[in-house]
Amino acid sequence: MPAIHFISGLPRSGSTLLAALLRQNPRFEAGMSGPLAGLFGALLGEMSARNEFSVFIDDAKRERILRGLFDSFYGDCPAEVIFDTNRAWCGWMPAVSRLFAQAKVIACVRELPWVVDSIERLVQRNVFTPSSIFGFNPGGTVYTRANGIVGQDGMVGAPYDMLKQACYGAERDRLLVVQYETLTTDPERTMRAIYDFIDEPAYVHDFAHVDYDVTDFDERAGTPGLHAVHGEVRADPRETILPPDLFNRFTRDAFWRDPERIPAGLRVV
């Protein structure tokens, strides 16, 4: 089995960009969020007490079955190092640490107002294509959409809670928080920190020509451009399209930017 690490964190925070950069290294495999975390959760549920046959499954069997899921899923992957991407992995840090003693988790983050802004910008750009993010519902306003995604079960709210759990949890020594702002303004320093974190030899990346495109997936989700990455890694300053009161609602949620709120042992780049 190749070495395995995980990319997690918040949506619209650079995970696809990071995967596009990592996959430039011929030893690495990385991509957009995949189905493995969903399969992982489904197996956990089916092996729980809700299944009357769970009496025949002890923790040792559960570990072998879950580890076998990774072996089977990546069985045809020739890469030496695999990065599996899903926002749910931050919520399963204890399980990840039990299954893979050397695995690390890279959590991509971004100031929440700009996460919400980025999602809203996609919706307004694709005005004639209702998005799966909102159940293909063509109605609503920027306020109803924002309230939906930042709720505890929402596209942003749930990963945010998982991120906080991981950052303040017992396994935070195997977590690296990568800020979108750092990745886009200083990608070389960011990648250097990641290679050091996962204890892999440095690789010279091409930050001027980065490409990753899953057009078919994005169009099927009713959100063209959701995962598209093209061209040079750079920060593009812009004005928000959120109303001021909505934008300001989330300005203090970036706890990773406040030295007094960063727990001991948590690495942030």
Side-chain angles (χ1 to χ4, degrees), residues 40 43-44 46-48 51 53-71 98-99:
F40 186 88
L43 272 175
L44 279 175
E46 286 305 311
M47 292 189 291
S48 72
N51 184 333
F53 298 109
S54 65
V55 65
F56 302 113
I57 307 175
D58 58 19
D59 274 355
K61 286 187 174 66
R62 291 184 179 95
E63 285 194 36
R64 288 198 301 273
I65 290 169
L66 291 170
R67 195 175 290 109
L69 173 65
F70 286 83
D71 293 338
R98 284 276 298 272
L99 289 173

Side-chain angles (χ1 to χ4, degrees), residues 75-218:
D76 59 350
C77 179
E80 298 175 36
V81 182
I82 292 171
F83 298 84
D84 190 87
T85 303
N86 197 284
R87 293 188 291 272
W89 292 125
C90 274
W92 281 320
M93 293 285 289
V96 165
S97 64
R98 284 276 298 272
L99 289 173
F100 305 104
Q102 306 303 318
K104 303 292 181 63
V105 180
I106 302 166
C108 295
V109 300
R110 188 179 191 178
E111 292 192 43
L112 255 63
W114 292 107
V115 173
V116 177
D117 174 275
S118 181
I119 295 170
E120 180 62 24
R121 192 173 293 269
L122 276 173
V123 171
Q124 294 191 21
R125 183 189 306 157
N126 301 305
V127 64
F128 298 122
T129 311
S131 171
S132 64
I133 296 172
F134 303 100
F136 299 102
N137 181 357
T141 68
V142 62
Y143 290 95
T144 57
R145 287 189 288 270
N147 288 336
I149 61 177
V150 301
Q152 283 192 317
D153 295 325
M155 176 183 178
V156 178
Y160 181 70
D161 286 349
M162 293 177 192
L163 172 70
K164 287 191 292 184
Q165 174 179 292
C167 288
Y168 291 99
E171 294 81 19
R172 62 178 177 267
D173 61 319
R174 60 174 67 226
L175 182 71
L176 175 67
V177 176
V178 173
Q179 301 178 85
Y180 179 82
E181 296 81 4
T182 310
L183 178 60
T184 54
T185 59
D186 196 349
E188 185 173 356
R189 178 167 72 92
T190 303
M191 298 306 290
R192 196 162 55 241
I194 290 172
Y195 276 82
D196 180 66
F197 177 62
I198 63 175
D199 196 25
E200 289 288 339
Y203 181 82
V204 179
H205 288 272
D206 183 357
F207 302 115
H209 303 91
V210 184
D211 184 73
Y212 186 78
D213 195 353
V214 282
T215 300
D216 290 345
F217 179 92
D218 289 353

